[in-house]
Amino acid sequence: MSVFDIFKKKSSGSVAKDRLKLLLVSDRANCSPETMEMIKNDIIKVIAKYMEIDCEGLDIQITTTESEDGNGIVPALVANIPIKEVKH
């Protein structure tokens, strides 16, 4: 996979689904969809330097979890990034 594979043409249904997910995630994180897209792209770029990943199976979400010190609920970034191969 090259960095340019990220920009392959997707079906309109797939694009609409991605946009809806992005809106829901950004709403939970209380940040703009543009910021969420920049975070996602940065994560992809960094990981792609070291591993070949499956961008179609990529799933990045912001959710909430209990803080480690027990002081309440905090946001958490959850990334499911299928790895095809580790680069050497």
Side-chain angles (χ1 to χ4, degrees):
M1 182 194 96
S2 73
V3 175
F4 299 107
D5 290 341
I6 297 168
F7 304 106
K8 283 185 180 175
K9 184 101 172 146
K10 293 183 179 181
S11 69
S12 61
S14 177
V15 171
K17 182 180 173 183
D18 288 346
R19 286 182 183 164
L20 180 59
K21 283 169 108 176
L22 188 60
L23 285 172
L24 292 171
V25 169
S26 64
D27 185 52
R28 280 190 211 148
N30 199 20
C31 68
S32 72
E34 293 81 16
T35 301
M36 288 303 301
E37 188 65 28
M38 290 185 328
I39 291 169
K40 180 179 173 182
N41 289 336
D42 286 348
I43 290 171
I44 291 170
K45 286 177 190 174
V46 169
I47 293 175
K49 286 171 44 177
Y50 304 99
M51 300 174 183
E52 184 178 339
I53 61 175
D54 176 13
C55 290
E56 293 297 317
L58 182 76
D59 185 28
I60 298 175
Q61 299 178 9
I62 301 242
T63 186
T64 56
T65 188
E66 184 72 27
S67 68
E68 288 184 12
D69 57 8
N71 288 336
I73 303 295
V74 294
L77 176 76
V78 179
N80 182 9
I81 305 168
I83 299 169
K84 292 182 177 180
E85 182 180 344
V86 176
K87 296 177 182 178
H88 296 284

